[in-house]
Amino acid sequence: MADGRAWLKHWPLYISALLLAAALVIGYICFFSPVTTVVLVRHAEKSQTPPDDPPLSPQGEARAQALVRILEGANVRAVYATEFRRTQQTVKPLADHLGLPVTQISGKDEDALVTHLLSYHRGEAVVVAGHSNTVPSIIQKLNGDQIPQIADTEYDKLFVVTVYRFGKAKVVQLRYGNPG
């Protein structure tokens, strides 16, 4: 077998090694790729005044406390809210409980938020407080399902978006606090 065909004698060994290597790569991608979890809520109930940037109402403050009870054991690593008081006040009790800052984000640039979350928080759990018109859009940009708009009277929806490294994200809709 000096003519260079010696490898033919061992081809089953080479094929087995190639299949094992492929299985290891696929296993790593499927089982060890970081999964990012983004929990999205609309801000809690707000007061009527001042009209331009109202704080939370007493019902909203109670809902913010309910968010603490729901997420305190969720291994949250970052908390985000738009520049408005109502979103910041919705997540501040949770952030305080976890010893995290509330990072302010623009309520107008959902693309930048999604890019930031997936770049800087891959493999982590984060919470984002938005608005009735931004939460559905953020979910869609995370490659999740398209959800219907949130009604102006709905404050109790909580969305858990699980973003896998490859493939479509999964969205679970829950409710928290008192109905409303």
Side-chain angles (χ1 to χ4, degrees):
M1 296 230 187
D3 62 0
R5 291 187 230 158
W7 66 273
L8 287 175
K9 180 176 163 184
H10 300 291
W11 73 269
L13 180 63
Y14 297 134
I15 295 295
S16 297
L18 182 63
L19 290 174
L20 177 62
L24 289 173
V25 168
I26 291 170
Y28 176 79
I29 289 171
C30 293
F31 298 107
F32 297 107
S33 293
V35 173
T36 305
T37 303
V38 181
V39 177
L40 292 123
V41 294
R42 177 194 181 190
H43 62 80
E45 292 88 340
K46 61 184 177 178
S47 297
Q48 298 300 315
T49 57
D52 57 334
D53 192 12
L56 293 184
S57 68
Q59 296 89 351
E61 291 173 2
R63 187 171 307 281
Q65 291 301 322
L67 191 61
V68 174
R69 288 188 298 280
I70 294 290
L71 296 176
E72 67 184 342
N75 203 23
V76 171
R77 296 290 184 223
V79 179
Y80 290 85
T82 65
E83 64 272 21
F84 298 99
R85 281 195 317 192
R86 59 192 176 270
T87 56
Q88 293 176 27
Q89 290 175 343
T90 298
V91 293
K92 182 150 178 35
L94 174 66
D96 288 348
H97 182 77
L98 299 174
L100 298 170
V102 176
T103 303
Q104 186 174 312
I105 55 171
S106 171
K108 295 180 177 148
D109 197 353
E110 296 144 9
D111 288 325
L113 169 65
V114 168
T115 299
H116 179 84
L117 293 176
L118 296 178
S119 297
Y120 293 100
H121 296 290
R122 179 145 316 268
E124 296 179 348
V126 299
V127 175
V128 177
H131 304 273
S132 62
N133 60 337
T134 63
V135 168
S137 177
I138 293 168
I139 291 171
Q140 189 171 16
K141 290 176 188 309
L142 285 166
N143 198 23
D145 297 333
Q146 188 171 17
I147 64 164
Q149 282 294 100
I150 300 170
D152 266 351
T153 57
E154 290 182 299
Y155 297 96
D156 62 344
K157 289 186 176 180
L158 180 144
F159 300 90
V160 180
V161 183
T162 305
V163 183
Y164 300 95
R165 185 182 272 309
F166 303 104
K168 191 174 182 178
K170 302 294 181 199
V171 180
V172 175
Q173 179 181 316
L174 305 168
R175 295 190 181 271
Y176 75 105
N178 290 328

